[in-house]
Amino acid sequence: MIRFEEKPQPKLLILYASYGEGHLQVARAIKSAWEEHGNYRTVMVDLMAESHPWINEFAKRFYLKSYTHMPSLYGWVYDFTRLMKHDSLFGGLLHSFGTEKIRRILAVEQPDIVVHTFPSFALPKLKKRKSVHPPSYAVITDFDLHRRWVHPSVDRYYVATEDLRLELSSLGIPERAIQVSGIPLKRGFCATVASSELYDRYKLNPNQPIVLIMAGAQGVLPDVSQICSSLLQNAEVQVALVCGHNLFMKNIIEQQFQAHEGASRLQVYGFIESIHELMAISNCLITKPGGVTLSEAIAAELPIFIYKPVPGQEKQNALYLKSKGAAVVAYEVNELTEQILKLVHDPLRLTNSRQSTKQLQASQTAADSIVLDILSNLRIMEKAITL
């Protein structure tokens, strides 16, 4: 491991956003890897929430409401801005939020490195105003590239796939400034294997296929009750439903299925921190296609089924994985159930699906790769300054 013992440890500033769980999870994964390499000076800042709390709360509500009630509106906004440049009128406005806040943070914290897990680049705007500044790194948290991530003052990009690297390169980003790292995940996905202890912990039968349904951190996956009912009609299938923070959904599903003939084969959970454990014992996953969740499934070599992806980055994620043979996209409950039953009852199809998913693994230790690369670049810069 690389350690800095003779002089103060380098300080890491991580800027993230709280729109969904993904950006925060990636930030935490990088912080954890940073500490495991002997560095404990880390500052994490939700820049939009701290600099513009009212605008941040409105944006979060718009995201959740548009996802469930107006997906076409969110998709239109995403597509409309997908090709915008950093110096366009709207792009410049988006990157200006938090400028004064980040200026004060830099003055107080004096970080050596800044990592962005959300494309809000107020810091690069400040680079024009001062000659000395910490290097800026961007960790792209989806399989699709929105041009909001592209900014000429970002020193290095970490991306999920070779295709993203090529796309950034085609936009003029130097190849030396792009690394295919994968999307950083929390510890557990590399080492977790199915065990009798895990089956007991989650009250599931190791002798029957398990379909894991992840409704998202806020429990917004549509038609969950119908999906569970359809799957449970097959007497050999178990369903593990994770409702996230949506306790209303959890209570409703539990009440609806109390008298269902397949109730004993349905387990309903709230938010689960150790989701890698459930993934390790499941045969396939139904999910909304957030970049982090998809990366978790890829790391677990878990066949992926995506149901009704909403327009925007999640639909683009879904289409990308589908094009690689790593995911099935369905828009009807019957279609979804039919595809799942074909998979879980066909060992050859299940093996082939796992292999397709495995081929998308950039790195099972993405956070480590990023941290080691940052530390290596920091040492190179220090050496250059010394010389």
Side-chain angles (χ1 to χ4, degrees):
M1 289 188 181
I2 299 175
R3 295 182 181 275
F4 291 80
E5 298 176 350
E6 296 180 356
K7 50 188 173 181
Q9 296 176 347
K11 179 179 283 190
L12 173 64
L13 171 63
I14 304 177
L15 301 177
Y16 67 96
S18 50
Y19 308 123
E21 290 283 318
H23 306 291
L24 175 57
Q25 286 188 37
V26 169
R28 286 173 173 166
I30 293 172
K31 178 178 182 290
S32 177
W34 186 252
E35 292 175 349
E36 289 192 12
H37 285 274
N39 299 280
Y40 297 92
R41 301 177 69 210
T42 306
V43 178
M44 290 179 52
V45 176
D46 185 341
L47 185 59
M48 194 66 175
E50 294 196 19
S51 58
H52 302 283
W54 288 99
I55 297 177
N56 181 71
E57 191 60 30
F58 171 80
K60 287 173 63 177
R61 289 180 180 274
F62 171 77
Y63 172 76
L64 288 174
K65 292 294 184 183
S66 64
Y67 191 98
T68 53
H69 301 297
M70 301 177 292
S72 58
L73 174 60
Y74 179 81
W76 180 85
V77 173
Y78 183 88
D79 291 337
F80 181 77
T81 61
R82 190 168 185 265
L83 298 180
M84 73 176 184
K85 296 183 178 180
H86 72 282
D87 54 358
S88 65
L89 182 63
F90 189 51
L93 173 64
L94 291 176
H95 290 311
S96 69
F97 288 119
T99 302
E100 182 59 27
K101 179 68 176 181
I102 194 64
R103 185 190 66 78
R104 294 197 297 268
I105 291 173
L106 290 178
V108 173
E109 300 293 347
Q110 298 183 4
D112 298 285
I113 313 103
V114 180
V115 171
H116 302 261
T117 68
F118 183 79
S120 181
F121 298 122
L123 173 62
K125 290 176 68 69
L126 292 174
K127 290 186 176 185
K128 299 178 181 179
R129 307 180 189 178
K130 54 186 297 189
S131 57
V132 179
H133 54 77
S136 301
Y137 300 88
V139 182
I140 298 180
T141 55
D142 284 297
F143 293 86
D144 180 61
L145 180 64
H146 192 287
R147 286 286 288 273
R148 186 174 173 181
W149 282 103
V150 181
H151 196 288
S153 294
V154 173
D155 297 288
R156 197 160 177 80
Y157 295 86
Y158 299 99
V159 299
T161 65
E162 176 67 15
D163 292 317
L164 274 178
R165 186 192 69 77
L166 292 173
E167 190 172 356
L168 277 173
S169 182
S170 72
L171 295 174
I173 305 299
E175 290 194 13
R176 66 179 181 278
I178 313 167
Q179 178 172 313
V180 181
S181 62
I183 297 176
L185 305 175
K186 59 190 173 186
R187 296 295 178 191
F189 285 91
C190 298
T192 306
V193 294
S195 66
S196 57
E197 179 185 353
L198 290 181
Y199 287 106
D200 291 341
R201 181 177 303 165
Y202 294 101
K203 300 178 181 179
L204 293 164
N205 184 348
N207 299 314
Q208 291 182 319
I210 299 169
V211 179
L212 173 60
I213 304 175
M214 293 178 61
Q218 303 304 320
V220 294
L221 185 74
D223 304 331
V224 168
S225 178
Q226 296 94 307
I227 293 171
C228 291
S229 180
S230 182
L231 287 169
L232 291 171
Q233 288 178 16
N234 186 294
E236 298 180 6
V237 170
Q238 299 175 93
V239 176
L241 170 62
V242 180
C243 300
H245 299 295
N246 193 337
L247 295 182
F248 178 75
M249 171 189 282
K250 181 177 183 295
N251 293 333
I252 288 294
I253 296 292
E254 288 176 336
Q255 291 173 15
Q256 286 181 345
F257 284 84
Q258 273 184 343
H260 193 280
E261 61 181 2
S264 63
R265 292 179 284 112
L266 171 66
Q267 297 296 331
V268 186
Y269 316 95
F271 181 81
I272 294 182
E273 184 68 34
S274 301
I275 193 63
H276 54 281
E277 295 180 346
L278 263 178
M279 286 187 170
I281 59 176
S282 298
N283 295 82
C284 66
L285 168 69
I286 303 173
T287 184
K288 60 190 288 292
V292 172
T293 300
L294 294 176
S295 294
E296 290 173 342
I298 290 169
E301 298 178 20
L302 191 61
I304 302 166
F305 290 84
I306 297 169
Y307 182 67
K308 287 187 177 180
V310 299
Q313 74 271 23
E314 295 198 348
K315 184 174 183 179
Q316 296 303 317
N317 287 342
L319 294 177
Y320 177 78
L321 263 65
K322 179 181 178 182
S323 72
K324 298 297 182 180
V328 174
V329 180
Y331 292 88
E332 299 292 338
V333 172
N334 290 340
E335 174 194 8
L336 177 68
T337 302
E338 180 181 351
Q339 292 295 327
I340 288 174
L341 294 180
K342 284 181 180 179
L343 178 78
V344 299
H345 294 311
D346 186 337
L348 180 59
R349 189 188 293 259
L350 186 60
T351 299
N352 290 338
S353 180
R354 290 187 183 275
Q355 286 299 319
S356 296
T357 304
K358 186 176 181 180
Q359 289 176 8
L360 279 179
Q361 289 180 353
S363 170
Q364 289 190 322
T365 55
D368 284 324
S369 298
I370 291 171
V371 166
L372 287 171
D373 186 67
I374 290 173
L375 289 172
S376 177
N377 290 335
L378 187 61
R379 293 188 64 170
I380 291 171
M381 287 186 290
E382 288 176 343
K383 184 176 181 180
I385 293 173
T386 302
L387 293 176

